[in-house]
Amino acid sequence: MDSVESQVYVIIFSTLFLGGIMSTFVIAMVFIHRQRQAQNRQKVDQIKSEHEKTLLNIENEIQQDTLTQIGRELHDNIGQLLSLAKLNFGSIKPEKHAEGKEILNQVIQEVRGLSKTLNLDWVESISINEFIGQQLERIKNTGFCETTLEADFELVDLPKDQKLVLIRVIQESLNNAIKHALPNKILIRISENGEGKQIRIQDDGIGFDTALQTNGSGMYNLRKRMDTIGGNFELTSTVGKGTEIILTLPN
């Protein structure tokens, strides 16, 4: 009997011991799972915060560029038109007064156009194709170099965050080409392949050795900005043969 009781006690003890181990294991797994959930939430919140911060910085940069452009237009264009109108109104000839009125009408149209760019509403009202066309036309009109846009389709209905990032990255890529590449021609092509929709920005400028030249933090910032929208930034360049930037949009 004592032997049977001993066996029962051993079985009970073993069961309790194993039960305790299992309970401890379950509690530990639940704790680890919750800890990982908390860490994942922190990572998601951090990514979201960085994304929002990047978009805010881009909006501020675009607004600053817009204000700079408006200041330039007020000084170089509208200011000259007003001076010309003043000269015409100062004349005693009736035909000069008529010319002055025409100039004032032109000034009014210019001011209305500038007023539309004081906020970012234009970002939502313009397609990426239209924006690229405007940028290339502006460069071409300065006589700096020839420009071409080739598009297999229209990039429309993009989310505002994607459009903001693309606009800023394209602006910076073109600014870098103007400042550093000294090209005779800039070509932008919008196409699609197995990787997705792409925007290729090519110039036939002086190029550079990507292994030696980092262009400071500029390229890193452009790459990081494309990362924030799930896209990709790729740059290739050869000394004497120009530079190509490929922006791949998220699917």
Side-chain angles (χ1 to χ4, degrees):
M1 190 71 179
D2 292 339
S3 176
V4 174
E5 290 180 354
S6 298
Q7 291 179 355
V8 171
Y9 289 140
V10 169
I11 293 172
I12 294 173
F13 178 78
S14 299
T15 302
L16 293 174
F17 179 74
L18 290 174
I21 292 177
M22 290 297 297
S23 298
T24 303
F25 176 76
V26 170
I27 293 172
M29 291 301 296
V30 170
F31 176 78
I32 293 172
H33 178 69
R34 289 182 177 177
Q35 193 175 40
R36 287 179 178 174
Q37 281 185 324
Q39 292 174 347
N40 290 335
R41 281 196 296 268
Q42 289 179 347
K43 289 181 180 179
V44 170
D45 291 341
Q46 183 179 359
I47 292 172
K48 184 178 179 181
S49 176
E50 291 178 355
H51 179 73
E52 292 174 350
K53 183 178 179 181
T54 298
L55 293 180
L56 180 60
N57 288 338
I58 290 173
E59 287 184 349
N60 289 336
E61 289 170 3
I62 292 177
Q63 285 175 337
Q64 288 300 320
D65 283 352
T66 299
L67 290 174
T68 299
Q69 177 189 345
I70 289 173
R72 191 181 299 117
E73 288 293 318
L74 288 173
H75 181 270
D76 298 340
N77 185 23
I78 293 178
Q80 291 181 3
L81 288 173
L82 289 173
S83 296
L84 186 59
K86 181 180 178 181
L87 290 174
N88 280 281
F89 284 125
S91 174
I92 60 174
K93 298 179 180 180
E95 61 269 21
K96 291 295 182 181
H97 290 183
E99 289 182 17
K101 290 180 180 179
E102 290 181 3
I103 294 172
L104 282 182
N105 286 331
Q106 185 179 349
V107 169
I108 291 172
Q109 294 301 318
E110 293 285 345
V111 171
R112 285 176 177 172
L114 289 176
S115 68
K116 294 179 180 179
T117 64
L118 284 173
N119 52 46
L120 291 180
D121 289 345
W122 62 270
V123 172
E124 297 183 356
S125 64
I126 193 173
S127 72
I128 291 297
N129 297 57
E130 292 172 330
F131 171 76
I132 292 174
Q134 290 178 3
Q135 296 297 303
L136 292 181
E137 187 67 21
R138 186 174 299 164
I139 294 172
K140 184 177 181 179
N141 288 340
T142 64
F144 179 78
C145 70
E146 290 296 315
T147 62
T148 302
L149 170 61
E150 298 178 355
D152 293 344
F153 50 85
E154 188 84 9
L155 277 172
V156 294
D157 298 329
L158 292 176
K160 184 180 179 181
D161 60 343
Q162 288 188 21
K163 191 180 287 188
L164 277 171
V165 170
L166 285 175
I167 283 174
R168 193 56 184 166
V169 171
I170 291 168
Q171 281 181 328
E172 285 300 303
S173 298
L174 291 174
N175 287 340
N176 287 335
I178 293 171
K179 291 179 183 177
H180 307 295
L182 304 177
N184 294 313
K185 183 176 181 179
I186 295 176
L187 166 66
I188 296 183
R189 177 168 178 75
I190 300 174
S191 60
E192 186 171 13
N193 58 20
E195 296 181 5
K197 296 178 180 178
Q198 293 184 333
I199 301 174
R200 292 175 178 263
I201 305 171
Q202 300 172 310
D203 69 67
D204 62 354
I206 60 175
F208 62 93
D209 187 346
T210 56
L212 300 177
Q213 186 171 338
T214 61
N215 277 359
S217 60
M219 295 299 106
Y220 171 79
N221 288 336
L222 296 182
R223 185 173 288 107
K224 184 176 180 181
R225 287 181 171 184
M226 288 299 296
D227 287 343
T228 63
I229 61 170
N232 186 59
F233 177 95
E234 181 183 352
L235 182 146
T236 57
S237 186
T238 303
V239 176
K241 294 185 178 181
T243 301
E244 179 182 57
I245 291 172
I246 302 176
L247 309 177
T248 302
L249 280 63
N251 293 321

